[in-house]
Amino acid sequence: MFEENLLLILALLPFGGAIVAATLPANARNAEAWLSGAVMVTGLVMLAALYPQVEDGGRVLSRIDWVPSLGLNLTFRIDGFAWLFMVLVQGIGLMVVLYARYYMSPNDPVPRFYAFLLAFNGAMSGILLSGNIIMLVVFWELTSIFSFLLIGYWHHTAAAREGARMALTVTGLGGLCLLGGMLIIGHMAGSYELERVLAAGDVIRAHPLYLPALALFLLGAFTKSAQFPFHFWLPNAMAAPTPVSAYLHSATMVKAGVFLLVRFSPVMGGTDAWFLAVVGTGMATLVLGAVVALFRHDLKGLLAYSTISHLGLITALAGMGSPLAIVAAIFHIVNHAVFKASLFMAAGIIDHETGTRDMRRLGGLMRAMPLTGTLAIIAAAAMAGVPLLNGFLSKEMFFAEAAEWHNGTVLDDALPWLATLAGAFSVAYSLRFIVSVFFGPMAADLPKEPHEPPAWMRRPVEVLVLACLSVGILPALTLGPWLETAVRGVLGSDLPYYSLAIWHGVNTALIMSIVALVAGSLLFVALAAFIRSGPEGLPLLHRLRAQKVYDWLMLRLAWKWPSIAHSLIGTEKLQPQLRILIFLALAGGALTLWGGSHLLPDLSQQSIDPVFVLLWLVGGVAAIGAAQQAKYHRLAAIILMSVAGLVSCVTFAWLSAPDLAVTQLLVEIVTTVLLLLGLRWLPRRREEIAEDKLLPARLRRVRDFIIALGCGLGIAVIAFAIMTAPQGVNVGDWFLRNAYAEGGGTNVVNVILVDFRAFDTFGEITVLAIVGLTVFALLRRFRPAAEMAEIPEQRARQGDNSLENYLFVPSIIMQWMFAPIVALSAYLFFRGHDLPGGGFAAGITLAIGLLLQYLAANVRWVEMRLTILPIRWMGIGLLVCVGTGAGSWLFGYPFLTAHARYVEVPFIGEVPAATALLFDAGVFGLVVGATVLMLIAIAHQSLRSERLRTQDEPEPEKGVA
Amino acid sequence: MELVLSLGIGVFVGSGIWLVLRPRTFQVIVGLCLLAYGINLFIFSMGRLRTGAAPIMPKGGFVNPDVYADPLSQALVLTAIVISFATTALFLVVMIASRGLTGTDHVDGKEREDP
C-alpha cells in the first residue's frame, strides 16, 4: 500500500508543483528554482524508495477507478524500465532547473517558465508511469501541449511562435494517430490495461488489424521522436530557451517516442513489417541527421540534427528488436540524454557569454573559458563515440547489433555500412563543434566579451560530464545494475548475455568504430573550409526540405482551401442562411411524411364551434396582417401581433390550460411594452423603398411566400393528424397520478415545474438571468443612431411643459394600481402550487406593476421614491433556488428533492408549504429582477440620450442599478 | 375544433416564417414572436385538446388521468413561453444596438447591394 501511494504521489506531485509555481510572484526566481528543484529531488527520493520493488523484474501498480464501466481506470504502473527513465527525467530535470536559474534573465516572467516546466515534467512522468494505454495517450498529448507552451515561451519572437506551432501540429497529429493505434491495440488485446496488452503480443501480431494498428502506432512514435520525414519540427523548436531545449531534446519529449517503441517492441515487434518500417526509418534518420548536422552553422542547429540522428539510432535498435538490441537501445537512451543535455547547456553558456551561436563567428574560446571548453569537449567526444566515454559503449553495442544477421533483407545487409557511415559523420560534426568553437584564432568581433559563466551555471554541466566519464570508464559498476533492472522491465526474466566492458578484444564493432573515427576525422579535415563557406544545411540539397512540404500543406489546409470553400459556400448574409435552414426543415419534414397519407383522419367527423372559429378567424387575420404591416407600419404590426398572442391565450384558457393562459397574457403585456420601447430606436420609414417594387424583390417575395406557405400547410397537416389520432398511455398520466402524492400540490403543471422537473426550470431561469444581464451589458455601451438622439418630433411639437401633465389621469390610476398589483402578485404566488399561478406568473405581475410606475411618471420621479436593484433580485433569486436544491443534500437526497406539507398562516389560511414553494420564491425573485432589468435598461436609453444632448462632450454613462 | 386550431397554427407559423425571411430586423422579431405562438400551440396540441378538464387534482384519493388534460405538454409550453420571451428581449436589444452601430435596420448591418 505504501508503494502504491508513493507511486500516485510521484505521478501527481509535478502538477501540484506547477500550480504552486504559477502562483508565485513574477520576480521570485530563487523561490521558483528551489520549488522546482525540491519537486525533482522529492521525485528522486521516492524513486529510490521504489527501487527494491522493481529491482528484480517486479512492478508496482496503483489504480483509481475512473469510469469502470468503460474500462477506463487511472492505473499507474512502474517497472524497471520506467524507473530508469524516471530517474533520467527527474535527474536531468534537476540539472535543468539549476541551469535555468542562471540562464533566464531577470526580465523573463519566470513563474510561467517553471510552471510549464514542472507540468511538462508531470506529463512526461505520466507517459512513463501510465498503466493504461489510453491514459498514456492523454499524457502524450499533454507533453505536446506543454512543449508547445515551453517552445513558445518567448512568444514575442516570430521564430518561437512558428517553432511552437509546428511542434504542436506535428506531434499533436502524431498523438491523434497514436490514439487511433492504441484503440485498435486495446481492441485486439481485449483490454486497455498495459499489463494485459504487454501479455497479448501473440494475439496482436496475428490479428488482421495488426498492420493498421502498427502504422498508426508508428506514426505517433515517429512524429514525437522526430524521425524522418517528420524531423523538421525539432530544429525549429530550437527557438526555445536553451534549458527547455536541453530538457525536451535530451531526456524527455523526443525520448517519449523511443520509449514507446522499446516498451512495445515485445508486443508489436518481431514481424517483417516492424523490422522494415522501424529499422528503415531509424537508419534513414540516423544517416540523414548526421550528414545535415555537419553542415549546420548554428550550434543548436548542429545539436538538433545530431539529436535527430541519435534518435534514429535508438529507433533502429528498437526495430531490430533482439534482446541485445533492446539492451543497447536502453543504454543509448541514457547515454544520449546525459551527453546531449550537457552539450545543450554548454551551447547555452557559449550563447549566453558571447552573444552568438554561429560557428563561423566563434573560435578560440578555449582561452576565454577553459573549464566550459573542457567540459564541452568531453561531452562532444562522448557524442562522437570516443573510447572511455559513455557514448562509445552504446555505440559499440549498436555496431555489433548492426553487423549481426537478422533476416537477410537488403536493408539488413546494408546495416553495417550505413552504421559506419553515420558513425563517421557523427565524428565529423563532433569535431567541427569542438574545433570551430574552442580552437583556432580567437574570435574578434563577438557581441559580448567571452568569459567563464557563474560557477553554478556550469555545475550541472560538470555533473553530467562526470556521469559521461564514470559510465564510460566503469560501466559495470555505475550504470550496470540499473540497466539490468530496466532490461528486465522490458524483456522479463530471460536476460540476454551481455558484458559492459570497455575492451572486448578486436571484433567487428571495434573495427567499425576505428574506421568511423578515422574516416570522420579525415572527412572533417577535408571539408572544413568548404562547410564554412557553404549555406546553412546540406549543399545543393538544403532547399529540398520536409519543412517546405509542411509549409506548403499548412498554407493550403489552414488558409487557401478554407478561403476557397468560404467564398464558394459561405455567406455573411442572414437571409440565405435562414432560408437554407427553413428549407432543410421543410424538406426533412416532407421526406419523413412522404407516403403517409393514410395517417390523415376523416375530415367529416369534425365538430365545429362557431365561437372558436370566429376566434381563430380573428387570430389568422391578425397574424397575416402583422406579417404584411411589419415593414412600413410597425405600431400596427405590434398591435396585430398582440391580437394573435391574445388569441392563443384565449385558446389556452379554452382548452383546459389555465396556467398557460395566465402566463401567456402576462408575457404578452411585457413583450408588447418591450417592443414599444424599442420602436423609438428604429429608422423612420414613411415612403416606400424604391427597390421593393423591382422585379428581383418581387421574385424574392414570391419564393419566400412559397416556402412560408409550404411550412404553414405542413405544420397544419401534422398538427391535425396528431391531434385527431387517439392518445395512448403517456408520461402525463404518471404526473397526474403522483402530483399530489409525491409533490404535495394539486396544480400538476406547477408541480412538474417546481418539483418533478425542477432542474429544467432551474436551467430556464438561469437562461433568463443571462439574457437579463446580456441586455443590460449590451445597452451600457450603446450609442443610438445620430438622428435618433434628438428630441422626438411629437414631444418637440407639444412644447416642453407637456411632460408635467402628460397622461395625467391615467398616471394617477396607474399609481393607485401599484398596491393591488403587488397583492395580485402575492396571490398568484401563494396559490401556485394548488391552483393556476406560480412564481413565474407572480414575478411577471410584479414586474408589470413596477413598470406601470415608470410609465405613469418620469423616470427620475419614480427612482426618487422607489429603489429597485434588479441584479440583486436576480442574484438572490438564483441563490435561493440553488440553496433549496442543495438543502436536500443535508437530508441525504439528490439535488432539488422537494418536501411538501401544509402550514396554517394567519389571515391567509392553509398554505402549501412545500420546499418547492421556496424554490418558486427563487424563481419569482429572478423573474422580477430579469424583467425589470431589461425593461428599465431600455427605458433608460431615452434618458441617456437626453443627457447626451445636453452635453457637448459625450462620455460613457453608467446604466441602471 | 382540431381542424380550426391546426389551420390557425399553420397561419401563425406561415406568417412567422415569411417574416423571418424578410430583410428588416423588426420584421424578423415580429416573425419570431408569431413563430413562437404557433410552435407553442403546436406543442400544446400534442397533449390533445380537451375543454373544461384543467389538470387541477383533488387532494388525495385515486386519480383517473383520462378526465384531465395532459399536464406534460402544458409544462413544456410554459417553459417555451418563458424562453421565447427571453429570446425576443435579447433580439430586440441586439436590434437596437445593431441599429445604433450600423445606422441601418437591415439584418446584415448594411443595405443590400444589388449588382
Side-chain angles (χ1 to χ4, degrees), chain A residues 613-629 640-641 643-644 647, chain B residues 8 11-12 15 34:
Chain A
V613 171
L614 200 62
L615 177 73
W616 272 97
L617 217 55
V618 173
V621 169
I624 293 170
Q628 200 238 332
Q629 297 291 326
L640 286 168
M641 193 192 92
V643 171
V647 168
Chain B
V11 171
F12 276 18
S15 315
L34 286 177

Side-chain angles (χ1 to χ4, degrees), chain A residues 157-436:
Chain A
T157 64
R161 291 197 300 269
E162 191 52 43
R165 195 158 50 221
M166 191 182 288
L168 181 67
T169 313
V170 176
T171 59
L173 282 178
L176 284 182
C177 292
L178 184 68
L179 176 63
M182 286 302 190
L183 286 174
I184 304 178
I185 290 174
H187 169 73
M188 292 190 289
S191 167
Y192 293 110
E193 293 294 308
L194 188 59
E195 287 285 299
R196 298 264 308 271
V197 173
L198 289 180
D202 294 330
V203 182
I204 290 175
R205 282 190 296 270
H207 201 279
L209 284 174
Y210 170 72
L211 277 182
L214 180 68
L216 289 169
F217 172 85
L218 289 181
L219 275 175
F222 287 170
T223 47
K224 199 74 158 187
S225 277
Q227 295 297 298
F228 177 79
F230 309 111
H231 61 280
F232 55 87
W233 70 263
L234 200 145
N236 283 295
M238 290 300 139
T242 299
V244 172
S245 307
Y247 197 39
L248 260 58
H249 304 143
S250 67
T252 53
M253 175 87 168
V254 293
K255 288 287 168 64
V258 289
F259 166 80
L260 208 63
L261 287 175
V262 172
R263 167 64 90 207
F264 277 77
S265 66
V267 184
M268 309 287 286
T271 60
D272 281 349
W274 169 277
F275 181 85
L276 285 176
V278 182
V279 177
T281 311
M283 292 310 284
T285 314
L286 167 66
V287 175
L288 204 86
V291 173
V292 176
L294 180 59
F295 291 93
R296 298 289 288 198
H297 300 307
D298 178 23
L299 265 186
K300 279 177 83 177
L302 183 149
L303 293 177
Y305 273 98
S306 141
T307 302
I308 292 172
S309 164
H310 281 272
L311 289 166
L313 187 157
I314 301 168
T315 303
L317 280 170
M320 293 171 197
S322 61
L324 275 174
I326 296 296
V327 175
I330 299 173
F331 195 20
H332 199 68
I333 285 176
V334 178
N335 290 338
H336 173 253
V338 172
F339 67 66
K340 194 49 67 68
S342 59
L343 279 172
F344 269 118
M345 289 180 189
I349 291 174
I350 293 163
D351 184 17
H352 211 251
E353 305 304 333
T354 64
T356 179
R357 299 195 312 235
D358 191 334
M359 278 185 282
R360 285 169 298 186
R361 297 179 66 187
L362 291 165
L365 288 185
M366 203 59 190
R367 262 155 288 174
M369 33 174 75
L371 286 173
T372 310
T374 314
L375 294 171
I377 289 169
I378 296 172
M383 175 163 78
V386 172
L388 293 184
L389 293 165
N390 61 354
F392 171 72
L393 295 171
S394 45
K395 195 167 260 192
E396 280 290 89
M397 289 169 109
F398 167 65
F399 283 159
E401 269 308 301
E404 279 286 308
W405 188 88
H406 296 96
N407 59 3
T409 51
V410 183
L411 176 64
D412 194 22
D413 293 338
L415 281 183
W417 302 100
L418 289 173
T420 317
L421 179 71
F425 269 97
S426 76
V427 170
Y429 67 68
S430 304
L431 261 178
R432 179 170 182 226
F433 178 88
I434 296 168
V435 172
S436 64

